Amino acid sequence: MESPVALPLTGGCGCGRVRYAIDAPLVGAVYCHCTRCQRRSGTAASATGRLAPGSLRITAGADEVRAWAPQGGHEKLFCSACGSALFSRPPGSDAPTTVRLGSFDSDPGIRPSARQFVAYAAPWEPIPDDGLPRYEESSLRR
Ligand SMILES: [Zn+2]
Ligand SMILES: [Zn+2]
């Protein structure tokens, strides 16, 4: 069970220019092993939380946020000053739908419950044997 957390949840980028607040509990979280997450994070998997619609407010540094819009994928939002990965959003939307768990100031109150895009997992790191369900593609669209 997840314990209740104090709202808003807060977080930001590495250099501190971009800050955000989230006014509702996260609705889910996954580890994403997709190639884009490997590229943008430099790691084997990205821990990502799903936002309740409209719950995210950027409270500082909105001008610093840039988007990488890969072909056929969600736009990846990051701090242009320090490169920290922060959010993603559907193409053509200006409302982020996910937040990177590593950007929180404190425990966001949720744990990743699945591993997705494991078909693309990095060859250099075994997928942890943690009992979480694994999805070859997205854990949402099956
Ligand atoms: Zn930054
Ligand atoms: Zn991914």
Side-chain angles (χ1 to χ4, degrees):
M1 295 296 292
E2 278 115 28
S3 50
V5 292
L7 297 174
L9 298 165
T10 60
C13 67
C15 76
R17 286 179 172 82
V18 180
R19 298 287 304 161
Y20 64 79
I22 296 171
D23 294 314
L26 297 179
V27 297
V30 297
Y31 292 108
C32 187
H33 293 260
C34 84
T35 304
R36 293 181 190 118
C37 280
Q38 292 177 44
R39 294 283 195 220
R40 64 171 182 73
S41 69
T43 63
S46 168
T48 294
R50 294 200 172 106
L51 293 160
S55 61
L56 175 80
R57 289 180 284 126
I58 295 178
T59 54
D63 292 349
E64 303 283 356
V65 177
R66 297 287 185 276
W68 170 40
Q71 187 88 37
H74 281 210
E75 297 180 3
K76 321 299 188 196
L77 304 179
F78 59 94
C79 173
S80 61
C82 71
S84 296
L86 292 168
F87 319 112
S88 74
R89 66 187 177 196
S93 166
D94 57 8
T97 53
T98 74
V99 57
R100 309 308 176 192
L101 293 189
S103 67
F104 281 103
D105 292 335
S106 57
D107 188 345
I110 200 164
R111 302 291 177 264
S113 61
R115 293 183 175 277
Q116 69 175 6
F117 292 107
V118 297
Y120 311 92
W124 45 266
E125 182 172 283
I127 297 171
D129 187 17
D130 54 14
L132 295 180
R134 299 176 181 186
Y135 300 95
E136 293 288 299
E137 302 283 337
S138 170
S139 62
L140 287 180
R141 291 164 289 144
R142 271 174 289 149

